[in-house]
């Protein structure tokens, strides 16, 4: 998340914590009852973490969490165990990992996406192609705004041992012309939009210098 004045960055919970935006160091708050301190055994409040990175990556495939980033954290304070990890009171974000853009390519930046909450805009990880002419925030800039936290691409995105996906155009003979038409049309529309944008920018600039 980025604040309305673009001077601060933070994180938004994925489940119960959806209404909260928190910083790199944060204490869990319970939205159900102010009378106990998270994590209460009688409630499901508190920060949650997985012990295994693979479990976190698995969850990120769920459509609900598709645009999430992975946070590597240090948990502290009171905690309780649950099946896959811990539920705990206080966390410090050690690093942020960007996964894939919605198109499947590695995300390389953050752009506006989805509904924000009062005072905060929502950012989604995107690749350069899908960002197109939209303004983006670099991972480094986000890391500075959130309090000097390293932000990088998750290594699972370009794991050399994993199956390699290539653009369809590179496969050549295996692709029939009929299936190439919508793909090429989409590429042309994208280029056209970018060209229109550059054209109007050029016009503005030449107009100004006249
Ligand atoms: Zn609670
Ligand atoms: Zn993309």
């Amino acid at each position: 998340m980025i604040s309305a004045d673009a001077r601060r960055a933070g994180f938004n919970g994925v489940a119960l914590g959806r209404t909260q935006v928190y910083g790199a160091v944060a204490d869990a708050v319970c939205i159900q009852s102010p009378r106990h301190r998270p994590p209460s055994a009688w409630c499901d409040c508190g920060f949650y973490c997985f012990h295994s990175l693979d479990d976190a990556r698995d969850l990120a495939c769920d459509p609900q969490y598709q645009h999430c980033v992975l946070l590597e954290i240090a948990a502290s304070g009171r905690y309780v165990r649950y099946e896959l990890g811990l539920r705990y009171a206080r966390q410090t974000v050690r690093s942020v990992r960007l996964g894939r853009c919605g198109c499947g390519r590695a995300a390389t930046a953050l752009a506006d996406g989805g509904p924000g909450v009062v005072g905060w805009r929502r950012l989604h990880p995107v690749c350069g192609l899908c960002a197109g002419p939209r303004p983006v925030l670099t991972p480094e800039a986000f890391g500075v705004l959130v309090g000097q936290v390293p932000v990088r691409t998750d290594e699972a995105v370009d794991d050399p041992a994993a199956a390699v996906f290539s653009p369809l155009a590179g496969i050549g003979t295996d692709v029939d012309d009929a299936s190439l038409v919508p793909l090429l049309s989409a590429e042309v529309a994208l280029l056209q939009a970018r060209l229109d944008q550059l054209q109007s920018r050029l016009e503005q600039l030449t107009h100004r210098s006249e």
Side-chain angles (χ1 to χ4, degrees):
M1 309 293 280
I2 187 161
S3 62
D5 64 5
R7 289 172 193 276
R8 285 174 305 145
F11 308 99
N12 182 219
V14 293
L16 280 175
R18 246 186 261 273
T19 54
Q20 308 285 326
V21 176
Y22 56 90
V25 181
D27 290 301
V29 292
C30 180
I31 54 163
Q32 333 231 46
S33 164
R35 281 194 289 274
H36 61 243
R37 282 187 307 144
S40 161
W42 315 108
C43 188
D44 42 13
C45 55
F47 286 115
Y48 285 70
C49 71
F50 291 114
H51 288 318
S52 134
L53 191 53
D54 285 340
D55 285 333
R57 288 182 184 132
D58 284 352
L59 188 71
C61 297
D62 184 300
Q64 242 192 106
Y65 309 116
Q66 193 190 357
H67 300 293
C68 290
V69 295
L70 298 183
L71 303 183
E72 195 178 336
I73 56 93
S76 53
R78 282 153 20 93
Y79 69 91
V80 289
R81 289 177 197 282
Y82 77 102
E83 315 86 84
L84 300 173
L86 298 177
R87 179 154 71 88
Y88 53 95
R90 188 178 171 86
Q91 82 175 13
T92 304
V93 177
R94 289 280 166 81
S95 73
V96 180
R97 292 161 187 253
L98 305 184
R100 294 179 192 282
C101 172
C103 73
R105 291 184 190 85
T108 50
L110 295 153
D112 264 81
V117 299
V118 175
W120 297 87
R121 286 152 57 196
R122 186 175 303 279
L123 302 175
H124 281 171
V126 289
C127 74
L129 205 61
C130 292
R134 280 190 294 165
V136 295
L137 192 64
T138 64
E140 295 74 25
F142 181 86
V144 169
L145 290 179
V146 84
Q148 307 299 337
V149 175
V151 183
R152 61 191 161 94
T153 302
D154 187 32
E155 65 267 22
V157 171
D158 37 33
D159 177 358
V164 177
F165 281 67
S166 312
L168 264 184
I171 300 174
T173 52
D174 292 335
V175 183
D176 60 273
D177 288 357
S179 60
L180 261 180
V181 169
L183 273 171
L184 291 174
S185 307
E187 293 277 335
V188 168
L190 200 72
L191 288 171
Q192 192 67 56
R194 183 83 181 123
L195 202 61
D196 286 348
Q197 197 217 5
L198 289 172
Q199 187 78 46
S200 73
R201 181 88 184 108
L202 191 65
E203 269 161 26
Q204 275 173 9
L205 288 171
T206 44
H207 201 66
R208 204 179 296 163
S209 60
E210 268 168 16

